[in-house]
Amino acid sequence: MSKGVDSANDLKKVESYTVPELDAIVRLSDFYQAGIFITINSRAAMKKAIKNGLIKINGKTGFTGDHLRGGECIEIYQNIKQTVKPDIPLKIEVLYEDDDLAVVNKPCGIVVSGNKRWTLENALSGNLKKSSRDDALLRPEPVHRLDYPTSGVVLIAKTSQSVLLLNKLFEDRKIDKVYHAVIIGSLKEAGIIQSKIENKDARSEYKVMSSIESPKFKFLNLTELKPHTGRRHQLRIHMSGIGNPIFGDLKYGKEGLILKGKGLYLHASSLSFVHPFTKKKMFIQAALPKKFTKLFPEFDTVSKE
């Protein structure tokens, strides 16, 4: 049995491809071109799949040195045993779902994915329907991240092809993200911040929607934030950098103005993108959490519905 596979029962076929007529003999490990396979997106991934016994040629396990002459049927498999992770009984609000993708509302205080048991990823199988597509993932996969203390919209892939296409949308900056935050201090009505983060260009835009006076913090501002680049902790760093940190930010807050026990007041409110399969324009929104609307009740859209 090949490395990484304990039993043939551990394998699930996810796609197949018939090799066209070739001008010259090609080694299996060199047979990669972008777009041929849905689930393999690089030469390195091709070699790794071969090494793990996840590629078959005409029904037999493929090896690096196998030659292709044309006409062979190449099958790509997933190792079910390796992809099994724990499911957790956490109810997640599903904002949108179809056979290819979903958008969910991540609660604050949970990581999106990782080695821990209590992750958003481990809650998805219990909240989403399994795709009926041939390349359906064994488990839905988040295609981007939100920080542990941040709540809001997370885009989920349900098939191998949607992983690739959604990642491409992010790479090409064709997904618009809008956040809302409660910002501390006196703040202009709107502004653009372009200070670098870790020597990389970063650009954020903000607009104040409402302000209330606070004896301790002077002002608390419900603010719309738009990141035009995707640096880690970008919005938190940018707002802190102009002297107006996000309310409850333990990492980037100003000394003496850090609120503890209420969490970070940063919420990923909406995603806008063109659906990679239906080509429809998508706008998906998550209502502001209650801790926001307690401060700014006029924005409590849930209670008004």
Side-chain angles (χ1 to χ4, degrees), residues 258-269:
I258 297 177
L259 177 76
K260 296 182 179 180
K262 297 290 186 179
L264 180 70
Y265 281 68
L266 178 61
H267 178 67
S269 299

Side-chain angles (χ1 to χ4, degrees), residues 67-96:
H67 290 123
L68 302 175
R69 293 173 170 80
E72 295 88 354
C73 178
I74 297 179
E75 297 173 324
I76 312 297
Y77 288 79
Q78 285 181 342
N79 188 336
I80 298 173
K81 187 175 181 180
Q82 288 186 348
T83 55
V84 170
K85 292 184 178 181
D87 291 323
I88 60 171
L90 177 64
K91 182 66 176 176
I92 301 292
E93 182 184 9
V94 179
L95 302 169
Y96 175 83

Side-chain angles (χ1 to χ4, degrees), residues 138-169:
L138 297 174
R139 293 166 60 89
E141 293 182 9
V143 293
H144 64 115
R145 301 284 186 268
L146 290 181
D147 293 340
Y148 171 86
T150 305
S151 59
V153 290
V154 177
L155 186 53
I156 310 297
K158 296 176 64 176
T159 69
S160 297
Q161 190 169 16
S162 63
V163 171
L164 298 178
L165 295 180
L166 292 174
N167 279 328
K168 188 70 166 59
L169 288 180

Side-chain angles (χ1 to χ4, degrees), residues 270-281:
S270 67
L271 289 175
S272 303
F273 60 96
V274 175
H275 195 296
F277 298 95
T278 67
K279 306 305 178 185
K280 291 182 179 179
K281 291 184 178 179

